[in-house]
Each structure stands twice: as structure tokens, then as C-alpha cells.
């Protein structure tokens, strides 16, 4: 059985680990915090049970979860056939991780990053044997979303780029190949431009988040509005992406107002903490933001 090491067990890493295990791969899920690993396993169990009950996953939750083990260290990199990094969106952290993973992994093991905004070539430089480094940009929630951008850095070999697209198809998802290694790739550049305008209009008091979301769904056929997407993704992750995009002078992709940064300071991180642009009840149901909290 092929083995996958997933580095970072947050919203994205846990989802990536889950879809790999659902397809029969053996998965080591790594994070620096044991409580994050424990929570990831609990969330995975609940998600697989739900998908299994709807007939969307044929193996039982026990069978799927038996393929996942957790580790606070990276030694599993030496045996891994695929390594997918999904740690915080911070350049220095990812450079350190790619340098270490590059040292530990076999030379032919593809090293993928799920980064939202950092050019893959920067990570490839840190890893040694840069031809094996690529972007696999999953969309969240990973068990439900069908798209993965496969990103080729200038250093990525054609063979690894092709293997990336094949791996995505094996996971039951659709690859979109991105042949130019630019910050935010394609989909996040398009989304960030929409989000920049939407959050500036909200910050200026022109419109509410709910009305923008309704408008984008009814007017443009989006399945979810930009503020629903932002709450699901985590506003702290959005703030980290903004820091990196600003450092690259990608001002067209970053809001002019600091609305998201202020919300992060107030602890409004989105769905995972029960409050963001919306409030969420214990059952996860979304409500317009209450003025009280
Ligand atoms: N949230 C989204 O919708 C989304 C979508 C696509 C891509 N991404 C990208 O995926 C990555 C992860 O995002 P997320 O939303 O899962 O963030 P998250 O905050 O939910 O999880 C990040 C995890 O990384 C862990 N971590 C930090 N340092 C680490 C280290 N040295 N080794 C191992 N783990 C470490 C943290 O403990 C945390 O659990 C980011 O690069 C982000 O830009 C996010």
C-alpha cells in the first residue's frame, strides 16, 4: 500500500489525510500539537461516518481510520511515497519544513505543498532535488470539493507534474494544471480579487456580508458566497495569505481595509470557533452575526 505523509493536521491537512485514506492509501498525519492531531482524528471519524451513511464512501469508518496514524515527528518522510505539506501559510515555516523534508525523504518522493499563495519555486529551492517539488492546491472542505490545482514550478519535472495530476485523479478529484508559478496560482487570484472588493464594501458600510453572499449566489450562480467561503476556510488563514501577498506587492489581491485582521484579533476566526462574518450554533448552523458577541 502506498504511504502518504501529510504535514499539518488543521482544516486542510485533516481533509487531505481523509481523502487519501478513503482511497485505500496508508496515511501518516503529522502536526506539532497532539491536541490538533486528536481533534483531526475525531473530525475525520465524524466526516467519514456521514459520507458512509450517504453511500459516498464504501469502506466503513473503522476501515478508513485504521489506515491513518498520527505522529508529532517527521521521520515517516523516509518511507513516504508522497508528501503533502499543509502547515500554516507562513513562508519561513514552509521553507524550514521543505528543507527538512528534502533531507529526510527519498530523492524520488514528490514533495507537494498545499500553499494558497506562496510560489512553489521558493519551496523547491529549499528542498534539494527541486524537480520533485510541486503544488497540489486542494480546496476545502477537502472531502467535499472536487478541484485540485496542480502547480508546476520552473524547477518541477514534467514527470512529477504529470504524476501530480494522476494522483489527483486517483483521489477522485479533477486536476487543473497551472503551468505558471505565480502567487495565488489561478483560482485564488480570481477569488482574492472578488474578496478584496467584497470585504472593502463591507468595511465601508455599503453592504452586509449576508447580502453580498446572497447576491453572488443569486446573481452569479456561486454555490457559496465569499464570506461563507472565508468563514469555512478560517479568517486567520486569510490574514496569513494577505501578509504574504502584500510582501509580494500583489496589492490588487488584498483588501485595502484591515477588516479581516481586526476580526482575527477579536477571535472571530470563522466557523471553527463558532464566529466569523456569521455566527454558528452548536450544530454548525449559520446565522447572521449577532451584535452581542
Ligand atoms: N483553509 C483553506 O480553505 C485553504 C484552502 C487551500 C489551501 N490552504 C492552505 O493550506 C495550508 C493549511 O491551511 P489550513 O486552513 O489547514 O490551516 P490550519 O490553521 O487549520 O492548520 C495548519 C496546521 O499547521 C500546523 N503546523 C504549524 N507548524 C507546523 C509544523 N512545523 N509542522 C507540522 N504542522 C505544523 C498547525 O498546528 C495547524 O494545525 C495553508 O498553506 C493554507 O494557505 C487553505
Amino acid at each position: 500500500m502506498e504511504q502518504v505523509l501529510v504535514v499539518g493536521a488543521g482544516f486542510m491537512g485533516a481533509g487531505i489525510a481523509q481523502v487519501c485514506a478513503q482511497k485505500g492509501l496508508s496515511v501518516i498525519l503529522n502536526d506539532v500539537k497532539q491536541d490538533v492531531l486528536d481533534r483531526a482524528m475525531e473530525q475525520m471519524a465524524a466526516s467519514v461516518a456521514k459520507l458512509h451513511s450517504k453511500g459516498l464512501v464504501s469502506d466503513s469508518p473503522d476501515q478508513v481510520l485504521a489506515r491513518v496514524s498520527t505522529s508529532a515527528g517527521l521521520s515517516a518522510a523516509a518511507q513516504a511515497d508522497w508528501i503533502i505539506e499543509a502547515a500554516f501559510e507562513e513562508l519561513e515555516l514552509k521553507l524550514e519544513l521543505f528543507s527538512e523534508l528534502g533531507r529526510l525523504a527519498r530523492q524520488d518522493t514528490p514533495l507537494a505543498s498545499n500553499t494558497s499563495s506562496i510560489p512553489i519555486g521558493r519551496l523547491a529551492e529549499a528542498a534539494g532535488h527541486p524537480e520533485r517539488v510541486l503544488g497540489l492546491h486542494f480546496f476545502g472542505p477537502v472531502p467535499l470539493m472536487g478541484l485540485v490545482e496542480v502547480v508546476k514550478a520552473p524547477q518541477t519535472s514534467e514527470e512529477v507534474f504529470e504524476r501530480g495530476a494522476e494522483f489527483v485523479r486517483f483521489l477522485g478529484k479533477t486536476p487543473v494544471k497551472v503551468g505558471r508559478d505565480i502567487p495565488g496560482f489561478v483560482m485564488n487570484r480570481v477569488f482574492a480579487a472578488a474578496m478584496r472588493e467584497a470585504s472593502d464594501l463591507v468595511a465601508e458600510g455599503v453592504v452586509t456580508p449576508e447580502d453580498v453572499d446572497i447576491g453572488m449566489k443569486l446573481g452569479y450562480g456561486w454555490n457559496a458566497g465569499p464570506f461563507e467561503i472565508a468563514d469555512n476556510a478560517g479568517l486567520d488563514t486569510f490574514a496569513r495569505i494577505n501578509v504574504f501577498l502584500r510582501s509580494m506587492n500583489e496589492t490588487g489581491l488584498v483588501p485595502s481595509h484591515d477588516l479581516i485582521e481586526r476580526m482575527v484579533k477579536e477571535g472571530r476566526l470563522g466557523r471553527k470557533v463558532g464566529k466569523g462574518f456569521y455566527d454558528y450554533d452548536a450544530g454548525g448552523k449559520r446565522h447572521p452575526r449577532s451584535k452581542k458577541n
Side-chain angles (χ1 to χ4, degrees):
M1 197 186 334
E2 281 211 319
Q3 198 171 94
V4 183
L5 169 65
V6 179
V7 179
F11 178 58
M12 297 302 290
I16 294 166
Q18 180 181 329
V19 296
C20 290
Q22 283 172 186
K23 292 291 173 184
L25 300 175
S26 159
V27 181
I28 314 283
L29 181 58
N30 157 272
D31 203 287
V32 283
K33 294 186 187 154
Q34 189 56 48
D35 61 319
V36 173
L37 289 168
D38 295 342
R39 200 172 56 232
M41 292 303 290
E42 279 167 27
Q43 283 169 357
M44 219 182 287
S47 171
V48 180
K50 201 164 170 185
L51 295 173
H52 181 69
S53 73
K54 291 182 173 171
L56 297 171
V57 171
S58 47
D59 288 345
S60 72
D62 284 351
Q63 284 172 310
V64 174
L65 293 180
R67 298 185 193 117
V68 185
S69 50
T70 60
S71 167
L74 291 175
S75 57
Q79 286 83 47
D81 301 296
W82 272 93
I83 298 179
I84 305 173
E85 172 277 321
F88 287 145
E89 186 76 347
E90 291 172 2
L91 179 62
E92 286 308 315
L93 168 70
K94 289 194 194 285
L95 290 175
E96 272 172 37
L97 278 171
F98 271 75
S99 158
E100 192 171 357
L101 291 167
R103 268 197 311 277
L104 294 171
R106 291 194 316 260
Q107 286 178 14
D108 64 340
T109 299
L111 302 182
S113 177
N114 185 51
T115 175
S116 302
S117 56
I118 298 171
I120 302 301
R122 302 281 290 272
L123 307 177
E125 278 164 26
H129 298 283
E131 69 285 350
R132 61 184 163 166
V133 178
L134 77 165
L136 286 183
H137 181 221
F138 291 79
F139 286 68
V142 183
L144 304 181
M145 299 296 279
L147 175 66
V148 182
E149 281 179 289
V150 182
V151 186
K152 187 178 185 306
Q155 303 96 321
T156 313
S157 70
E158 269 307 323
E159 189 227 330
V160 166
F161 192 39
E162 279 310 317
R163 277 176 72 187
E166 252 170 56
F167 184 66
V168 167
R169 282 189 213 100
F170 170 80
L171 294 179
K173 306 211 177 279
T174 301
V176 166
K177 287 180 166 181
V178 180
R180 197 163 143 214
D181 188 23
I182 46 177
F185 319 123
V186 174
M187 304 311 158
N188 275 358
R189 291 185 74 86
V190 175
F191 178 78
M195 186 64 191
R196 179 209 64 215
E197 195 56 29
S199 68
D200 279 348
L201 290 171
V202 167
E204 287 164 19
V206 176
V207 67
T208 62
E210 301 89 78
D211 280 352
V212 174
D213 284 347
I214 289 168
M216 294 311 289
K217 289 189 280 192
L218 296 183
Y220 286 95
W222 287 26
N223 270 341
F227 295 104
E228 293 171 2
I229 293 173
D231 266 6
N232 287 343
L235 300 189
D236 48 341
T237 296
F238 266 63
R240 288 192 177 98
I241 294 171
N242 287 346
V243 168
F244 182 75
L245 291 174
R246 271 196 205 98
S247 78
M248 298 290 285
N249 286 325
E250 292 279 3
T251 45
L253 302 181
V254 184
S256 349
H257 291 276
D258 64 353
L259 175 65
I260 291 178
E261 288 72 12
R262 279 189 281 122
M263 290 177 69
V264 169
K265 276 199 193 115
E266 289 165 16
R268 302 193 73 90
L269 307 184
R271 179 182 280 284
K272 62 186 161 190
V273 295
K275 54 184 183 172
F277 284 105
Y278 294 86
D279 289 334
Y280 299 85
D281 62 26
K285 196 160 183 290
R286 187 171 43 236
H287 302 280
R289 183 173 169 176
S290 122
K291 295 278 173 279
K292 278 183 278 158
N293 61 17

